[in-house]
Amino acid sequence: MTKFLGMTGLLALFCMTAVYAGQAKPAAPAAKASPESIANGEALFKRSCQTCHGPAGKGDGPAAKTLKGKLPDLSDKAVMAKLTDPAIHELVSNGKKSEIGNMPAMAKRLKPEEITDIVNYVRTLAK
Ligand code: HEC
């Protein structure tokens, strides 16, 4: 019996250590975007996003006037902190229907790598 308890204890200790080690492990740093990717993303943003989101992402592009409300400010850290890179990628690929209007899906016009470049550029707008 004591032997059994000892084994269970050891097992529990092992599990706890494993969990702790999992938590203590630093998150893998996100791959840093290359300057080329960001530059390409900027060119694509100017072409595909600026008309609504504005040159600095503030939501003041000419087409924003046709929307029924204010766009989220892409240069606002608090706004961008809520969005992960995959979420932005998904959003640009498939678009978004919202109360103020629709964001067009870009997956047919842009390659996934180009959308990644856009995501990398959009990340530079919030300082
Ligand atoms: C026709 C106008 C239009 C264009 C062009 C456009 N968007 Fe949007 N965007 C919107 C609308 C509308 C929303 C939704 C706003 C809301 O949820 O209230 C939005 C939301 C967003 C958001 C915030 C999403 C969230 O959940 O907070 C991001 C990021 C974004 N767009 C990035 C882009 C990028 C990058 C491009 C270019 C590839 C782009 N948009 C092109 C209209 C546009």
Side-chain angles (χ1 to χ4, degrees):
M1 186 64 187
T2 31
K3 198 171 172 212
F4 174 72
L5 276 178
M7 284 291 285
T8 322
L10 252 170
L11 193 69
L13 189 71
F14 175 77
C15 290
M16 274 158 64
T17 317
V19 167
Y20 177 75
Q23 282 171 346
K25 207 160 70 188
K32 213 164 156 15
S34 69
E36 293 77 21
S37 169
I38 293 173
N40 191 37
E42 179 172 12
L44 293 167
F45 183 91
K46 288 205 165 99
R47 225 181 320 137
S48 307
C49 322
Q50 188 163 306
T51 177
C52 287
H53 289 282
K58 298 214 173 280
D60 54 358
K65 291 187 191 79
T66 65
L67 298 170
K68 292 193 278 292
K70 225 180 150 343
L71 280 168
D73 182 352
L74 308 185
S75 69
D76 184 339
K77 262 190 178 167
V79 170
M80 295 312 290
K82 294 195 190 100
L83 300 165
T84 63
D85 288 1
I88 304 172
H89 200 287
E90 214 271 336
L91 166 82
V92 173
S93 304
N94 301 327
K96 180 179 179 183
K97 286 187 173 42
S98 82
E99 281 169 17
I100 66 162
N102 294 341
M103 177 164 148
M106 313 265 174
K108 289 210 177 77
R109 290 202 282 131
L110 300 170
K111 297 193 199 95
E113 309 84 76
E114 291 177 313
I115 298 179
T116 300
D117 292 343
I118 294 177
V119 173
N120 289 335
Y121 173 67
V122 166
R123 282 286 178 215
T124 68
L125 297 174
K127 291 190 177 86

